[in-house]
Amino acid sequence: MARILVINPNTSLEMTEQIKQTVNSIAHSEHKIVFKNADIGPESLETFYEYNLATIGVLRVINREKDQFDGVLLACFGDPGIYALKEVTEVPLIGIAEASLSKALMLGQSFSILVALNKAIPMMENMVMNYGLSSRLTSVEALELPVLDLKKGGQDTVNKLLHIGKKAKEKGAEVLILGCAGMTGLSSLVGRELGVAVLDPIAVGYKTLEGMIEIGVNVSRSGLFAPPGQKKIIGQQLFNLEVVEKCLT
């Protein structure tokens, strides 16, 4: 049995519950899965500023939980702080975006990403460029709907996804990626209507991590993700949640 930590980098308990429902529906029953929010930070992540704030929250969770798990899933499509998190995590740590982009390459020549806001368009293009996959990206299409309103929108959200998914398909996309954890659970419906492969990043990210753990492979600890060296960091103790709690009592 493996123990797997799924971290929602934002502080939305509702979104964490949505993530939990998707993971529990596909996870092998023998694995123990724990779901955590960042304990500090924004309720949703829609800018690089919010990504950086969220990374601190995730680092605090990992510092507290790091010896208790066999793998970690970073459950935000922007993969906020992922390089730093891989540097300090000794077990496999996977971002849902990097997993989804990798899987898309196996399913078609080109892919599009469906996102919540127009602000996310250049952010996703930048992320795809950093992962070296720009030549396979057809487009990034936006609903123009805030992340926290995605589930509240109900059928209206689905209709908007179908509309922008059709636009992406007409531009040549053979695979569509739902570019937000808040869209989890909608991939099958959108895929049936549009007749293309649609990836739910939570499902793809989790099964990628689960597979890595089961075959015994980890992130390389040399080169890009080599651990940070030992040096004095002012305020280092603030990353330890237990220390902070003691100071507040």
Side-chain angles (χ1 to χ4, degrees), residues 90-108:
E90 295 182 358
V91 298
L93 183 144
I94 294 298
I96 62 172
E98 63 175 357
S100 299
L101 295 174
S102 299
K103 188 68 68 177
L105 302 182
M106 306 176 193
L107 302 177

Side-chain angles (χ1 to χ4, degrees), residues 50-98:
E50 291 163 346
Y51 281 8
N52 285 322
L53 292 177
T55 300
I56 301 299
V58 175
L59 283 167
R60 284 158 56 89
V61 174
I62 287 177
N63 182 70
R64 182 179 57 193
E65 308 283 352
K66 61 185 178 182
D67 298 325
Q68 302 179 41
F69 295 95
D70 302 300
V72 180
L73 181 67
L74 182 64
C76 172
F77 195 80
D79 289 349
I82 191 166
Y83 285 5
L85 298 173
K86 286 178 186 283
E87 286 180 342
V88 300
T89 307
E90 295 182 358
V91 298
L93 183 144
I94 294 298
I96 62 172
E98 63 175 357

Side-chain angles (χ1 to χ4, degrees), residues 134-248:
S134 295
S135 65
R136 304 286 287 272
L137 176 66
T138 297
S139 64
V140 182
E141 310 288 346
L143 293 171
E144 199 49 36
L145 191 65
V147 166
L148 295 178
D149 291 340
L150 290 172
K151 288 296 184 182
K152 297 176 185 177
Q155 187 58 44
D156 183 54
T157 297
V158 173
N159 291 340
K160 289 181 177 181
L161 275 174
L162 292 172
H163 175 69
I164 64 173
K166 183 178 179 181
K167 285 174 56 179
K169 183 179 176 181
E170 289 172 349
K171 292 177 182 178
E174 299 174 15
V175 181
L176 303 180
I177 304 174
L178 302 184
C180 179
M183 298 177 185
T184 189
L186 300 177
S187 58
S188 296
L189 190 156
V190 175
R192 282 197 306 270
E193 290 291 325
L194 296 180
V196 295
V198 180
L199 299 181
D200 182 325
I202 297 297
V204 172
Y206 176 78
K207 295 305 285 189
T208 299
L209 175 62
E210 194 178 67
M212 289 179 65
I213 294 171
E214 290 172 356
I215 65 175
V217 67
N218 197 354
V219 174
S220 175
R221 305 297 290 163
S222 64
L224 183 61
F225 302 127
Q230 295 296 319
K231 63 179 67 174
K232 182 178 180 180
I233 299 177
I234 303 300
Q236 177 70 49
Q237 70 275 14
L238 295 179
F239 290 102
N240 187 323
L241 185 60
E242 293 180 357
V243 171
V244 175
E245 289 173 340
K246 288 178 181 177
C247 291
L248 294 176

